Structures are given as structure tokens and as C-alpha cells.
Amino acid sequence: MPIVETLEDVVEAILKSRYLISLTGAGISAESGIPTFRGRDGLWRKYRPEDLASPEAFRNNPKLIWEWYSWRISMIINASPNPAHVSLARLEDMGILKALITQNVDNLHERAGSKNIIKLHGDILTARCISCGYKKRLDAPPEELPPKCPSCGELLRPDVVWFGEPLPTEALGAAIIHTHRADAILVIGTSGVVYPAGAIPYTVRENGGVVIEINIGESAITPIADYFVRGKAGEVLPKILDLIAKKL
Ligand code: NAD
Ligand code: ZN
């Protein structure tokens, strides 16, 4: 079990670091009202995400998959960044946070003002043709489901990474570079069970870096965390930021 340190110790570790990165997961957007996959998703609770977020599911029933994505897209458009997203953007502005690697497909990090964001699992607000690669930005769910490619007539799909699919090459390359530069990582709101994202904190640790985790419960990262802060990201991160501001 990792030692639960006080926030002062966490702040000291952050300020001592020279290359701090962050890995975020669905938990950081939970306080913005966007459910995690392991949370309660009302209407869609009868399906397992693994049975919806997969190439097979899309092939079998593209309309059903688009209905699920349309529901998620609407929710994301109507949501706002919470104090956890804002705190990470501030940490970057202060020059402390060097890169933000996210597994989230929402746009709340961008909207909070973060700039160096690496989207490992794609972007739910982009649709991509399954045949010709045409891409379209979405500012609302598509009107007709499933949407078709205006260029070749094939189906459009959400531009996200589904179970069993490889990660976008460019994002993965950037994530690897920052992971190897990092001497500290803030792991926030992720269960750490989706790979290769879940391996990032392990690599930082193997390279001698410090692992700081913020989560409401233990995760697959907790066993290697140097500091584990149990709490809501939207409550813990602003407190950390306040303490940092006092020390600078
Ligand atoms: P996950 O659902 O597996 O785990 C969420 C984690 O967040 C859990 O460990 C939980 O304890 C923690 N958590 C919940 N509320 C929290 C809070 N307020 N503060 C701190 N921690 C909190 O999520 P994951 O690890 O990101 O993996 C699931 C996959 O689902 C990812 O690949 C992601 O792309 C996708 N997903 C994305 C979104 C999104 O973009 N917002 C939402 C759901 C799922
Ligand atoms: Zn096309």
C-alpha cells in the first residue's frame, strides 16, 4: 500500500520535478457530469462499453453505435470543464506541467485552456470515413444516423480508438517521448486498466520518476504510486494549485 501523504508533500514533489507530465482518464470529467465507463450510465447501462466501442459492434449495427455516440456527444457539448481541468491548464501556464496525455475523447481539457494535449484515444467530436479517411468536425450529433461520407458515400465513424484497435501513431509517438522525459507524473481519474496508456506511469516509475495519483478509489496504478491522494480531482487539484501559488 502506498503511503497517503499530505498535500504539502505532494506539492513539494511537484515543485522538485523538472519535467512533470499528467495522465488523465474519464474520472477527471466525472464532475463535469460525463459518466465514466464504470459509472452509472442510465439508459445505456444494459450494454457493456466493450460491446459498443468495438469495430465488430459498428459493423453489426452502425445505427445503434451512432445513437450511443450521439448521446455522449450531446452530453459533452453541454458540459463544462471543472476545476480539475482548469487547474491542469494553470499548471501548464505556470511552466510546471510540460505535457498532458489524456485517454479522454471529450474536449474539456482544450476548453479549460490546456495547450499541449496528447489525445491517445482520439476525439469524439470528429467523424471519419471508414473508407477514404475523410474527416469532419462535429458541433452537434449528426442529423441522420448513421452518417455517410460526403466524398465517397461510405459510412462515417467516430474518430476514436475502439477496443482492439491501435492508437493513433502521432499521439502514441508524442506520448512515448514525454513519458521518457518525465521525472514525475500526475495520474488523475483513470482505472489504469486500458493499455498501453496504463503502462505510462509504470515506465515513468521504472525510469526513476515520481508517481502521484489522484483518484476517489484505488486503481491499477496505486501499487506503484509514491503519493496517493484519495479524493475528487475537482476538489484536490485546486487545493494543490493554491499551495503551489503560495510557494512561488
Ligand atoms: P475508467 O472509467 O476505467 O475509470 C475511471 C476512474 O476515475 C476510476 O478509477 C474512478 O475511481 C476514477 N474517478 C471517478 N470519479 C472521479 C473523480 N471525481 N475524481 C478522481 N477520480 C475519479 O476510465 P479510464 O481509465 O479513462 O478508461 C476508460 C476508457 O473509456 C478510456 O479509454 C476513455 O477513452 C474512455 N472514456 C472516455 C470518457 C471521456 O472522454 N470523458 C468517458 C468515459 C470513457
Ligand atoms: Zn469517404
Side-chain angles (χ1 to χ4, degrees), residues 60-215:
N60 291 339
N61 197 343
K63 189 162 188 281
L64 172 77
I65 303 312
W66 266 113
E67 279 165 0
W68 183 51
Y69 276 95
S70 295
W71 172 73
R72 294 178 62 199
I73 288 168
S74 301
M75 197 154 48
I76 286 164
I77 288 170
N78 291 317
S80 302
N82 68 55
H85 299 104
V86 173
S87 300
L88 288 182
R90 295 246 168 88
L91 268 184
E92 185 182 7
D93 287 344
M94 294 163 110
I96 296 171
L97 183 67
K98 304 296 192 286
L100 171 51
I101 303 170
T102 187
Q103 297 165 87
N104 293 348
V105 295
D106 65 44
N107 61 359
L108 298 180
H109 283 306
E110 291 94 301
R111 282 163 61 196
S114 284
K115 287 169 199 81
N116 193 13
I117 306 167
I118 295 146
K119 295 198 145 200
L120 272 188
H121 293 166
D123 185 339
I124 202 171
L125 295 170
T126 302
R128 176 180 97 224
C129 175
I130 59 165
S131 174
C132 74
Y134 165 91
K135 282 192 185 184
K136 184 184 178 187
R137 207 60 211 146
L138 302 173
D139 49 22
E143 274 169 23
E144 192 194 322
L145 299 183
K148 304 260 169 59
C149 175
S151 177
C152 76
E154 258 293 1
L155 288 178
L156 294 180
R157 58 164 279 179
D159 192 20
V160 298
V161 177
W162 282 332
F163 289 102
E165 292 187 318
L167 269 50
T169 318
E170 206 180 309
L172 182 59
I176 291 171
I177 289 171
H178 291 297
T179 299
H180 283 283
R181 281 186 193 156
D183 61 356
I185 183 166
L186 260 177
V187 184
I188 307 162
T190 178
S191 55
V193 296
V194 177
Y195 276 77
I200 291 174
Y202 280 81
T203 305
V204 172
R205 176 74 198 241
E206 272 160 27
N207 291 345
V210 176
V211 177
I212 302 161
E213 181 178 32
I214 302 170
N215 200 309

Side-chain angles (χ1 to χ4, degrees), residues 224-235:
I224 58 148
D226 297 281
Y227 303 94
F228 174 71
V229 185
R230 189 186 300 274
K232 291 185 174 179
E235 293 171 8

